[in-house]
């Protein structure tokens, strides 16, 4: 049980770290797009979403790979935690013009 929790939480924390690590990369590729108070261009948002989906697929695969058993259940919990955190982050930022809410379900389906 403890290993299962560690795998799911560890996978989720890794996804957070990897998504945050893409911010400087995206700022270099799209200078001026990712500044406070400005909605990024369509290409920058597409690249950001694509990287988020890739990170989600990778971390969901790692979650399934290192689960002690019942890999699908571990990925489901990875998905549930991600959606809960995503909704929690989206609600206060909804009026800022560019919430990302619906890309994680598709990303988590890919490894299974």
């Amino acid at each position: 049980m403890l290993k299962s929790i560690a795998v799911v939480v560890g996978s989720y924390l890794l996804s957070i770290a990897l998504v945050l690590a893409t911010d400087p990369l995206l700022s270099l590729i799209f200078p001026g797009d990712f500044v406070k108070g400005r909605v990024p261009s369509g290409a920058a948002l597409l690249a950001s979403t694509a990287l988020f989906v890739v990170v989600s697929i990778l971390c969901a695969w790692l979650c399934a790979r290192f689960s002690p058993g019942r890999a699908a259940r571990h990925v489901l919990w990875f998905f549930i935690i991600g959606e809960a955190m995503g909704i929690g982050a989206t609600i206060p930022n909804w009026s800022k013009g560019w919430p990302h809410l619906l890309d994680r379900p598709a990303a988590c389906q890919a490894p299974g």
Side-chain angles (χ1 to χ4, degrees):
M1 172 79 160
L2 195 56
K3 184 176 179 185
S4 293
I5 293 170
V7 165
V8 173
V9 171
S11 298
Y12 185 72
L13 292 175
L14 178 63
S15 73
I16 292 172
L18 291 175
V19 166
L20 290 176
T22 63
D23 288 348
L25 174 68
L26 289 169
S27 293
L28 287 173
I29 296 171
F30 301 100
D33 269 335
F34 293 99
V35 294
K36 188 174 178 145
R38 184 177 190 282
V39 176
S41 66
L45 284 177
L46 182 63
S48 174
T49 302
L51 283 172
F52 184 80
V53 168
V54 168
V55 166
S56 295
I57 290 169
L58 172 69
C59 291
W61 176 80
L62 287 172
C63 182
R65 171 69 179 88
F66 290 109
S67 66
R70 302 174 102 181
R73 178 172 280 180
H74 288 77
V75 173
L76 176 65
W77 278 106
F78 173 78
F79 166 74
I80 290 169
I81 291 170
E83 284 304 303
M85 297 299 283
I87 290 169
T90 299
I91 290 171
N93 293 313
W94 190 262
S95 63
K96 295 188 178 155
W98 49 293
H100 296 277
L101 185 60
L102 300 175
D103 49 1
R104 187 175 285 269
C108 285
Q109 291 297 322

